[in-house]
Every structure is written in C-alpha cells, then in structure tokens.
C-alpha cells in the first residue's frame, strides 16, 4: 500500500511539473511544481492560490485574423498575476494548473456549498440550492430573482459561461478571462 501511495504521489508530481521560457527577446521563466508557481522572481505556493482564470482571444485587423492571445491568471486573496503564452505553453500550463490548484479549489467550493456557504461570482450569488439572477430592464430598475438549479440551463457564448432559465430573460454571463474561478463554476 505504501508503494502504491508513493507511486501515485510521484505520478501526481510529474503531472503538475512544467517549466518554460516566456517571451521572444527578453524571456522570463515560468515554472509550476509541487513547490508552487514561479514567475518573474515571485513564488506562489499551491495552497495559497485561490483564484484562477484562463482563455484565448482571437485578434483581427480589418477582418483579417492576426492570431490568438492565450492568457492565464492566478493568484491568492491579495496577489494576482497574468501571463500571455504561446498555444503549446498555454495548453500544458493550464493542464498542470488545473491538476495542481483547480481541483482543490473545486473541492473546497463544493464542501463550502454543502456546509451552507454562499459564493459570489462576478456580482452573482450562488448557494447549494440555486442562484440569484438579474433581468436587465432598459427603462426601469433591474429585477433580481432566485432560481433553483433544476430550473436553469447552462450555455456558452463567445468567451463567456452563461446561466439562466430556458426563456433567458433572467441570466448571468461570466467572462472566463475577467472573472475569477469561472472554470470552477
């Protein structure tokens, strides 16, 4: 049993370890490992990282595609940073980040919800039973209403995760790049 546990731990360490140089002329080292994330002479231990986000944005000039910018953001309650990566660096780093930090944030969020805690994503409050959604009105005050999870559907718009009832009059839209932990939600 001890050998299996050690083998599992070694495999996990290998799964979350990645190092690369970021930049074309002036490079900075990006490293993720069981010891934490190292970037631009700063180090975050994995247990202090409470916020993550990532995504890609396609760019174009006059309708002509000019490429995609791949960004990853992570941080603690008090410190936050972002990195632009190439596609291959982005794919590998996000995979390691999810395994090293994302699963723990997800697990802690689920435990918190189960124990009655409420969370705020953007300006939207959620709990284990449901979510408060807003209906945006043009000439009058916006309306807020509580919905149970069973009443809702989920969908994606470009760069956004969305939640609302089937008629979509009330809804919440969360940017994967602008809101923390949307991948967790």
């Amino acid at each position: 049993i001890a050998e299996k546990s050690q083998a599992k731990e070694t495999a996990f360490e290998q799964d979350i370890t990645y190092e690369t140089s970021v930049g074309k002329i002036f490079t900075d080292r990006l490293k993720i490992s069981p010891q934490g994330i190292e970037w631009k002479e700063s180090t975050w231990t994995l247990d202090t990282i409470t916020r993550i986000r990532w995504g890609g944005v396609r760019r174009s000039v006059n309708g002509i595609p000019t490429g995609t910018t791949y960004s990853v953001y992570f941080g603690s309650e008090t410190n936050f940073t972002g990195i632009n990566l190439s596609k291959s660096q982005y794919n590998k780093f996000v995979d390691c980040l999810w395994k090293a930090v994302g699963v723990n944030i997800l697990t802690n969020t689920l435990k918190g919800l189960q124990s009655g805690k409420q969370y705020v994503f953007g300006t939207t409050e959620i709990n284990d039973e449901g979510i408060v959604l807003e209906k945006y009105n043009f000439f009058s005050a916006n309306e807020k209403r509580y919905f149970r999870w069973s009443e809702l559907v989920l969908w994606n718009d470009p760069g956004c995760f969305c939640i609302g009832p089937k008629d979509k009059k009330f809804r919440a839209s969360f940017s994967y790049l602008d809101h923390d932990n949307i991948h967790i939600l």
Side-chain angles (χ1 to χ4, degrees):
I1 296 175
E3 289 176 9
K4 281 186 180 181
S5 178
Q6 180 63 34
K8 209 175 197 180
E9 187 174 321
T10 301
F12 174 74
E13 289 175 4
Q14 290 173 347
D15 281 350
I16 68 166
T17 300
Y18 176 66
E19 185 172 348
T20 189
S21 293
V22 179
K24 293 186 187 298
I25 297 172
F26 301 104
T27 62
D28 291 299
R29 188 179 100 176
L30 172 63
K31 181 179 180 183
I32 184 169
S33 70
Q35 288 72 44
I37 299 175
E38 296 175 29
W39 172 245
K40 290 192 174 185
E41 301 178 17
S42 294
T43 301
W44 289 265
T45 59
L46 298 179
D47 61 340
T48 62
I49 297 173
T50 58
R51 306 186 287 162
I52 56 176
R53 46 174 123 146
W54 62 80
V57 176
R58 289 189 197 127
R59 308 263 183 230
S60 63
V61 175
N62 296 327
I64 299 170
T66 59
T68 302
T69 302
Y70 297 94
S71 303
V72 179
Y73 299 87
F74 60 88
S76 63
E77 295 298 324
T78 59
N79 196 3
F80 197 66
T81 193
I83 308 165
N84 291 332
L85 301 168
S86 71
K87 184 176 182 179
S88 62
Q89 290 171 324
Y90 168 86
N91 288 334
K92 182 62 179 167
F93 186 76
V94 166
D95 183 52
C96 292
L97 182 67
W98 176 255
K99 290 174 185 173
V101 179
V103 172
N104 287 336
I105 295 172
L106 173 63
T107 302
N108 291 337
T109 302
L110 291 172
K111 287 177 182 176
L113 288 169
Q114 188 178 32
S115 69
K117 188 172 180 181
Q118 291 192 354
Y119 290 91
V120 176
F121 290 88
T123 59
T124 305
E125 295 177 23
I126 71 162
N127 62 34
D128 194 36
E129 302 294 323
I131 186 170
V132 175
L133 296 176
E134 198 165 8
K135 178 181 174 186
Y136 297 94
N137 295 317
F138 193 66
F139 292 109
S140 61
N142 293 342
E143 299 173 52
K144 287 189 175 189
R145 189 171 133 200
Y146 183 81
F147 291 89
R148 299 184 67 72
W149 291 114
S150 60
E151 301 175 272
L152 301 170
V153 294
L154 311 174
W155 70 96
N156 281 299
D157 280 344
C160 295
F161 173 68
C162 304
I163 301 174
K166 288 182 183 176
D167 66 11
K168 298 182 183 176
K169 289 180 182 176
F170 287 83
R171 67 180 283 178
S173 180
F174 306 99
S175 167
Y176 287 110
L177 278 176
D178 297 332
H179 296 106
D180 294 333
N181 297 334
I182 297 307
H183 293 88
I184 304 300
L185 181 59

